Amino acid sequence: MARIPFDPNLILPVGTQVVLRREIKGRAGSILARQGAVGVILRAPPDNSHSYRVGLPDGVEVAVRRSAFTIRRRQQADELRAAAEGEFNLAEHVVYRCVIGSRAYGLADDESDIDRRGIYLPPADLHWSLYGVPEQIENDDTQECYWELQKFLVLALKANPNVLECLYTPLVEFSTPLADELLGMRSIFLSRMIYQTYNGYVLSQFKKLEQDLRTTGTLKWKHAMHLIRLLLAGVTGLREEVIPVQVGQQRARLLAIRRGELPWHELNHWRLDLHRAFDEAFAQTKLPDRPNYERANAFLIKARRSRT
């Protein structure tokens, strides 16, 4: 399982130290740099379809595509993670697996992926070992991601939407007794913090959508649909003290957004109405100001002790 997936949209800054994944040859076939050589980015391209300019220790400069090198600091960490996985087979320690995303929301079509998420609980020996514990393990080919238990709990306490959806999705594929216990206490993660997390994310993302609309005249309709869905879920979370995953009666209208059938002014009007509803729900909610950190911590300690 890959640890840190390559992000095709990330442009690395000048000054980043890198390690070459393969030999770099000149026009005459001479070797300019060997695999494993260290360099530093001297000039970054506007996007990853163009080459970086990388300076080598001997003063030679080479043009290198993003796929031909890795970040030096990341490579060293990845080697440790690969060694840890080879010794401990982290996938065997998954304690919870569920499906979130469009299939759980009720918004899937024939082309929708199956987004599996979950929790893994590594053995104590890995915590004590040289390798340490990866915060998450991933498999991009199968759209799977598993958070280490502590990381999962911390994200849930921060009202991370993806993690809360893991606790409330109706599509659970695998759950150990320990994970069942966690699901039974999932309400401890709900607090008024939902308002800041959900509302804040939607506000920032809609600003980006509006900027795209002004500069390019295009809109990422699927992203806009999920932002509205997130607002709907947040409002319900504050009102009913449960995180809804399936969109229910809003399905048809949300799908109309994804197809680009809802005019921008109607979409934005709906968003503003939901923000106002969010404000009202925040003022009236009976959820506590903070999640139950104490119970979450006690659960983590109990779970860790079960792996010694």
Side-chain angles (χ1 to χ4, degrees), residues 129-202:
S129 74
L130 172 69
Y131 312 121
V133 176
E135 290 188 338
Q136 64 189 54
I137 55 178
E138 298 177 288
N139 188 327
D140 292 336
D141 293 335
T142 57
Q143 298 293 312
E144 292 179 75
C145 175
Y146 300 95
W147 290 280
E148 192 273 327
L149 178 60
Q150 180 178 346
K151 180 67 173 182
F152 183 91
L153 295 177
V154 169
L155 291 173
L157 291 167
K158 292 180 178 180
N160 178 282
N162 285 333
V163 170
L164 291 182
E165 287 171 3
C166 286
L167 292 170
Y168 283 88
T169 178
L171 302 181
V172 175
E173 294 186 336
F174 172 72
S175 182
T176 65
L178 185 72
D180 289 339
E181 182 179 345
L182 179 61
L183 293 177
M185 53 186 277
R186 61 191 177 185
S187 63
I188 72 166
F189 299 103
L190 301 185
S191 71
R192 294 164 67 90
M193 201 176 295
I194 291 172
Y195 178 81
Q196 286 82 14
T197 304
Y198 283 55
N199 223 2
Y201 179 73
V202 172

